[in-house]
Amino acid sequence: MWKNALNKLVSDLKKAWIPIAACILYVVLMTILVGEVCPSKLIFGIPCAGCGMVRAFILFITFQFREAFAMNPGIYVVAVAFFIFIILRYFTHVDIKWIKILLIITLLSLIIIFAIRLIISFGVEPLVIYDKALIFWIIKQFS
């Protein structure tokens, strides 16, 4: 069972190494060059449902669970969904539709959490207006 799961994981990683590497490169470069990775913030100046997720993930894996929750409570939804995905994908032989359902439930949960966060804590990092956004620069050029 473990050997089959490991073989399937290695196969998946071989197929997805370019997108994985591209995402990692994007996060590293944008963090170094701009100090911000969120395209929504960079272009429009407004936070998205994933804002704070990278920082929440770093806090989560360093066992700073309360701080991770404060940064983005959706990290716990993602962590549980990831755990369920690993079980479904590598240790069971379920139909792909169940993985798609898991993805839909996860995304809907993140959207609901985002809406609640906007109502409760807009204006508190990471849910702040990014005044260096491209849209604000364009508006300034035409004013």
Side-chain angles (χ1 to χ4, degrees):
M1 175 168 73
W2 287 96
K3 187 174 182 177
N4 288 340
L6 185 60
N7 288 339
K8 199 170 192 178
L9 175 64
V10 169
S11 173
D12 285 352
L13 290 174
K14 283 181 182 177
K15 292 175 189 171
W17 77 270
I18 292 175
I20 291 169
C23 288
I24 292 169
L25 183 64
Y26 172 81
V27 169
V28 170
L29 284 177
M30 294 307 285
T31 301
I32 292 169
L33 297 174
V34 185
E36 184 64 59
V37 297
C38 179
S40 175
K41 269 190 171 179
L42 288 170
I43 297 169
F44 302 110
I46 55 174
C48 69
C51 280
M53 192 64 78
V54 172
R55 289 174 281 178
F57 175 74
I58 292 167
L59 292 164
F60 182 80
I61 63 172
T62 57
F63 306 106
Q64 299 175 57
F65 301 118
R66 191 173 299 153
E67 293 85 353
F69 183 85
M71 189 57 62
N72 191 330
I75 190 66
Y76 291 98
V77 172
V78 172
V80 169
F82 181 74
F83 181 72
I84 293 170
F85 168 77
I86 294 295
I87 292 170
L88 292 177
R89 174 80 176 128
Y90 299 108
F91 295 101
T92 65
H93 300 288
V94 300
D95 189 340
I96 191 73
K97 77 174 184 178
W98 293 107
I99 294 175
K100 290 178 182 178
I101 290 170
L102 173 66
L103 178 63
I104 291 167
I105 291 170
T106 302
L107 292 175
L108 288 174
S109 299
L110 291 174
I111 291 168
I112 291 167
I113 290 169
F114 179 59
I116 293 169
R117 288 174 67 207
L118 284 176
I119 293 166
I120 293 173
S121 62
F122 186 78
V124 178
E125 186 65 33
L127 298 176
V128 294
I129 298 294
Y130 186 65
D131 59 355
K132 297 175 188 167
L134 179 62
I135 191 79
F136 297 134
W137 180 83
I138 291 171
I139 290 169
K140 190 176 179 182
Q141 299 307 309
F142 291 104
S143 316

